Amino acid sequence: FYFNRIIRIVPVSLLSLLFVSLFLNRSLYLPSENSFQWYNLLALLSHLTFIHSFIPIPDFFFGFNAVTWSISAELFFYLLFPYIFTQRLRRIVSIFLLWSFLIVVASSVLAFSPLPAFSVNHLNMPVREGIVYINPLFRIPEFFLGIISAKLFLQYQPYLLSLFFSRRLYKSVFFITLLDFIALFLLLLGFFPFAPGFAVTLKTTLNQLLSALFFSSGIFLIL
């Protein structure tokens, strides 16, 4: 599993890093060309080792090829996957709920921290978005939710198919339609502003959780 994931993602990521370093104008990507040499080397090392999503500094997680922060997070999830997927569904759900609660609390606390928000003036210092949006530890519930959805689908697919093609077709159609509306409600709730002045860090975390619920339920229904 590890070999298949690494061979699919790592080579093209390193190739993009090489392309950026060799051919892209130095002023077009982070870290700034005015940064210290050792600082740029540290940023480069974090990309070569795919740990840059854990460093909440824009020069690091958005350095060189900015979109690879998500690949860094994915590789961390791949590292966890074989151990999590083999756990019982009830335990995975419990961990999902606990971890979701913890990051909601942490996001609420961060709202009162002196950490600045992401901007061009804060590229070389920790920012809030680098924690609540980029850091894989704050995106773990979405990863767990994908595993939960897969296990539910694999476990109940035969029953759902038999129900759908049985004489109780109208009941299954009603059930699926109800789930569609629930999924749509979760999507709309994810864009809800909650309240004026609502903490951006907490809103970001809630939006991520709600959108993950929408997409997981949507994929489950489509399949």
Side-chain angles (χ1 to χ4, degrees):
F1 172 79
Y2 288 146
F3 176 80
N4 289 338
R5 293 295 88 198
I6 290 173
I7 204 66
R8 177 171 181 170
I9 291 178
V10 170
V12 70
S13 300
L14 295 178
L15 184 63
S16 71
L17 183 62
L18 179 65
F19 178 86
V20 168
S21 303
L22 293 180
F23 302 110
L24 201 61
N25 189 300
R26 187 62 187 85
S27 62
L28 296 178
Y29 61 89
L30 297 174
S32 169
E33 55 185 332
N34 299 321
S35 304
F36 294 109
Q37 190 66 28
W38 62 266
Y39 180 82
N40 290 337
L41 288 175
L42 285 177
L44 178 61
L45 181 61
S46 71
H47 278 256
L48 290 174
T49 54
F50 294 92
I51 63 170
H52 49 292
S53 62
F54 286 94
I55 305 173
I57 302 173
D59 276 341
F60 282 77
F61 63 76
F62 278 166
F64 303 98
N65 188 3
V67 295
T68 60
W69 73 264
S70 63
I71 294 177
S72 170
E74 287 172 23
L75 283 174
F76 174 67
F77 296 149
Y78 291 152
L79 180 65
L80 298 179
F81 179 77
Y83 302 100
I84 303 303
F85 191 77
T86 54
Q87 302 297 317
R88 291 188 176 183
L89 180 60
R90 180 177 298 180
R91 184 171 185 179
I92 299 175
V93 171
S94 299
I95 298 175
F96 163 74
L97 294 174
L98 175 61
W99 205 276
S100 298
F101 172 76
L102 290 176
I103 65 171
V104 166
V105 171
S107 300
S108 303
V109 173
L110 280 172
F112 301 96
S113 74
L115 285 177
F118 174 82
S119 74
V120 293
N121 298 319
H122 302 129
L123 297 178
N124 60 350
M125 62 181 67
V127 296
R128 296 179 179 184
E129 291 81 358
I131 299 176
V132 299
Y133 185 78
I134 301 293
N135 195 299
L137 297 178
F138 272 69
R139 310 303 293 260
I140 278 183
E142 300 163 68
F143 164 65
F144 273 76
L145 196 56
I147 295 178
I148 292 170
S149 299
K151 280 186 168 288
L152 285 174
F153 178 78
L154 293 173
Q155 183 173 344
Y156 292 105
Q157 182 191 30
Y159 169 75
L160 291 175
L161 287 175
S162 63
L163 177 65
F164 189 82
F165 289 105
S166 69
R167 294 181 179 179
R168 294 174 289 178
L169 176 63
Y170 69 95
K171 292 183 179 179
S172 60
V173 170
F174 171 78
F175 175 70
I176 292 174
T177 305
L178 178 62
L179 289 180
D180 282 331
F181 277 107
I182 293 175
L184 180 60
F185 173 75
L186 290 172
L187 175 64
L188 296 177
L189 191 59
F191 291 99
F192 188 66
F194 294 99
F198 200 78
V200 175
T201 52
L202 180 55
K203 183 179 184 298
T204 300
T205 297
L206 292 176
N207 284 348
Q208 289 165 184
L209 288 172
L210 290 169
S211 61
L213 284 168
F214 162 74
F215 281 109
S216 61
S217 57
I219 292 172
F220 187 91
L221 293 172
I222 291 172
L223 293 177

